[in-house]
PDB file of all heavy atoms in Angstrom:
ATOM      1  N   ILE A 165      12.201  -3.727  54.669  1.00  0.00           N
ATOM      2  CA  ILE A 165      10.911  -3.283  55.210  1.00  0.00           C
ATOM      3  C   ILE A 165      11.133  -2.656  56.574  1.00  0.00           C
ATOM      4  O   ILE A 165      11.662  -3.288  57.487  1.00  0.00           O
ATOM      5  CB  ILE A 165       9.940  -4.474  55.327  1.00  0.00           C
ATOM      6  CG1 ILE A 165       9.800  -5.171  53.970  1.00  0.00           C
ATOM      7  CG2 ILE A 165       8.578  -4.009  55.827  1.00  0.00           C
ATOM      8  CD1 ILE A 165       9.122  -6.514  54.046  1.00  0.00           C
ATOM      9  N   GLY A 166      10.733  -1.395  56.703  1.00  0.00           N
ATOM     10  CA  GLY A 166      10.883  -0.708  57.970  1.00  0.00           C
ATOM     11  C   GLY A 166       9.718   0.227  58.224  1.00  0.00           C
ATOM     12  O   GLY A 166       8.817   0.368  57.392  1.00  0.00           O
ATOM     13  N   GLY A 167       9.738   0.890  59.375  1.00  0.00           N
ATOM     14  CA  GLY A 167       8.670   1.820  59.699  1.00  0.00           C
ATOM     15  C   GLY A 167       7.404   1.105  60.155  1.00  0.00           C
ATOM     16  O   GLY A 167       7.406  -0.074  60.485  1.00  0.00           O
ATOM     17  N   THR A 168       6.303   1.841  60.119  1.00  0.00           N
ATOM     18  CA  THR A 168       5.026   1.317  60.632  1.00  0.00           C
ATOM     19  C   THR A 168       3.944   1.238  59.562  1.00  0.00           C
ATOM     20  O   THR A 168       2.791   0.984  59.871  1.00  0.00           O
ATOM     21  CB  THR A 168       4.520   2.218  61.774  1.00  0.00           C
ATOM     22  OG1 THR A 168       4.306   3.551  61.275  1.00  0.00           O
ATOM     23  CG2 THR A 168       5.527   2.263  62.908  1.00  0.00           C
ATOM     24  N   TRP A 169       4.299   1.462  58.306  1.00  0.00           N
ATOM     25  CA  TRP A 169       3.293   1.565  57.242  1.00  0.00           C
ATOM     26  C   TRP A 169       2.502   0.271  57.063  1.00  0.00           C
ATOM     27  O   TRP A 169       1.315   0.299  56.760  1.00  0.00           O
ATOM     28  CB  TRP A 169       3.951   1.952  55.922  1.00  0.00           C
ATOM     29  CG  TRP A 169       4.952   0.956  55.410  1.00  0.00           C
ATOM     30  CD1 TRP A 169       6.288   0.918  55.659  1.00  0.00           C
ATOM     31  CD2 TRP A 169       4.677  -0.168  54.571  1.00  0.00           C
ATOM     32  NE1 TRP A 169       6.889  -0.153  55.050  1.00  0.00           N
ATOM     33  CE2 TRP A 169       5.913  -0.837  54.363  1.00  0.00           C
ATOM     34  CE3 TRP A 169       3.533  -0.680  53.979  1.00  0.00           C
ATOM     35  CZ2 TRP A 169       6.013  -1.985  53.581  1.00  0.00           C
ATOM     36  CZ3 TRP A 169       3.638  -1.833  53.201  1.00  0.00           C
ATOM     37  CH2 TRP A 169       4.866  -2.465  53.010  1.00  0.00           C
ATOM     38  N   LEU A 170       3.156  -0.901  57.229  1.00  0.00           N
ATOM     39  CA  LEU A 170       2.454  -2.163  57.020  1.00  0.00           C
ATOM     40  C   LEU A 170       1.290  -2.311  58.004  1.00  0.00           C
ATOM     41  O   LEU A 170       0.218  -2.805  57.656  1.00  0.00           O
ATOM     42  CB  LEU A 170       3.427  -3.331  57.173  1.00  0.00           C
ATOM     43  CG  LEU A 170       2.880  -4.713  56.822  1.00  0.00           C
ATOM     44  CD1 LEU A 170       2.530  -4.803  55.356  1.00  0.00           C
ATOM     45  CD2 LEU A 170       3.903  -5.801  57.180  1.00  0.00           C
ATOM     46  N   GLY A 171       1.496  -1.851  59.219  1.00  0.00           N
ATOM     47  CA  GLY A 171       0.450  -1.940  60.222  1.00  0.00           C
ATOM     48  C   GLY A 171      -0.716  -1.002  59.981  1.00  0.00           C
ATOM     49  O   GLY A 171      -1.759  -1.130  60.632  1.00  0.00           O
ATOM     50  N   LYS A 172      -0.570  -0.074  59.045  1.00  0.00           N
ATOM     51  CA  LYS A 172      -1.643   0.872  58.736  1.00  0.00           C
ATOM     52  C   LYS A 172      -2.583   0.359  57.649  1.00  0.00           C
ATOM     53  O   LYS A 172      -3.619   0.967  57.390  1.00  0.00           O
ATOM     54  CB  LYS A 172      -1.053   2.213  58.308  1.00  0.00           C
ATOM     55  CG  LYS A 172      -0.242   2.902  59.394  1.00  0.00           C
ATOM     56  CD  LYS A 172       0.391   4.182  58.888  1.00  0.00           C
ATOM     57  CE  LYS A 172       1.248   4.848  59.965  1.00  0.00           C
ATOM     58  NZ  LYS A 172       1.917   6.071  59.462  1.00  0.00           N
ATOM     59  N   LEU A 173      -2.224  -0.731  57.012  1.00  0.00           N
ATOM     60  CA  LEU A 173      -3.054  -1.273  55.941  1.00  0.00           C
ATOM     61  C   LEU A 173      -4.307  -1.922  56.516  1.00  0.00           C
ATOM     62  O   LEU A 173      -4.283  -2.501  57.599  1.00  0.00           O
ATOM     63  CB  LEU A 173      -2.270  -2.292  55.116  1.00  0.00           C
ATOM     64  CG  LEU A 173      -1.036  -1.763  54.370  1.00  0.00           C
ATOM     65  CD1 LEU A 173      -0.346  -2.888  53.624  1.00  0.00           C
ATOM     66  CD2 LEU A 173      -1.429  -0.652  53.400  1.00  0.00           C
ATOM     67  N   ARG A 174      -5.384  -1.870  55.713  1.00  0.00           N
ATOM     68  CA  ARG A 174      -6.656  -2.456  56.126  1.00  0.00           C
ATOM     69  C   ARG A 174      -7.281  -3.208  54.956  1.00  0.00           C
ATOM     70  O   ARG A 174      -7.099  -2.854  53.802  1.00  0.00           O
ATOM     71  CB  ARG A 174      -7.633  -1.368  56.608  1.00  0.00           C
ATOM     72  CG  ARG A 174      -7.152  -0.553  57.805  1.00  0.00           C
ATOM     73  CD  ARG A 174      -7.091  -1.408  59.069  1.00  0.00           C
ATOM     74  NE  ARG A 174      -6.746  -0.613  60.247  1.00  0.00           N
ATOM     75  CZ  ARG A 174      -5.501  -0.357  60.645  1.00  0.00           C
ATOM     76  NH1 ARG A 174      -4.482  -0.830  59.944  1.00  0.00           N
ATOM     77  NH2 ARG A 174      -5.279   0.348  61.730  1.00  0.00           N
ATOM     78  N   ASN A 175      -8.042  -4.257  55.280  1.00  0.00           N
ATOM     79  CA  ASN A 175      -8.809  -5.017  54.285  1.00  0.00           C
ATOM     80  C   ASN A 175      -7.934  -5.666  53.218  1.00  0.00           C
ATOM     81  O   ASN A 175      -8.367  -5.858  52.077  1.00  0.00           O
ATOM     82  CB  ASN A 175      -9.853  -4.116  53.617  1.00  0.00           C
ATOM     83  CG  ASN A 175     -10.830  -3.531  54.608  1.00  0.00           C
ATOM     84  OD1 ASN A 175     -11.339  -4.234  55.479  1.00  0.00           O
ATOM     85  ND2 ASN A 175     -11.092  -2.233  54.499  1.00  0.00           N
ATOM     86  N   ILE A 176      -6.698  -6.030  53.558  1.00  0.00           N
ATOM     87  CA  ILE A 176      -5.821  -6.729  52.620  1.00  0.00           C
ATOM     88  C   ILE A 176      -6.226  -8.207  52.575  1.00  0.00           C
ATOM     89  O   ILE A 176      -6.457  -8.836  53.610  1.00  0.00           O
ATOM     90  CB  ILE A 176      -4.348  -6.589  53.043  1.00  0.00           C
ATOM     91  CG1 ILE A 176      -3.959  -5.115  53.139  1.00  0.00           C
ATOM     92  CG2 ILE A 176      -3.439  -7.318  52.057  1.00  0.00           C
ATOM     93  CD1 ILE A 176      -4.095  -4.350  51.853  1.00  0.00           C
ATOM     94  N   THR A 177      -6.301  -8.752  51.372  1.00  0.00           N
ATOM     95  CA  THR A 177      -6.671 -10.162  51.201  1.00  0.00           C
ATOM     96  C   THR A 177      -5.484 -11.042  50.821  1.00  0.00           C
ATOM     97  O   THR A 177      -5.501 -12.248  51.062  1.00  0.00           O
ATOM     98  CB  THR A 177      -7.758 -10.310  50.125  1.00  0.00           C
ATOM     99  OG1 THR A 177      -7.254  -9.818  48.871  1.00  0.00           O
ATOM    100  CG2 THR A 177      -9.006  -9.526  50.505  1.00  0.00           C
TER     101      THR A 177
END
Side-chain angles (χ1 to χ4, degrees):
I165 305 167
T168 61
W169 62 270
L170 187 65
K172 297 176 182 178
L173 297 179
R174 300 292 185 273
N175 301 315
I176 303 300
T177 61

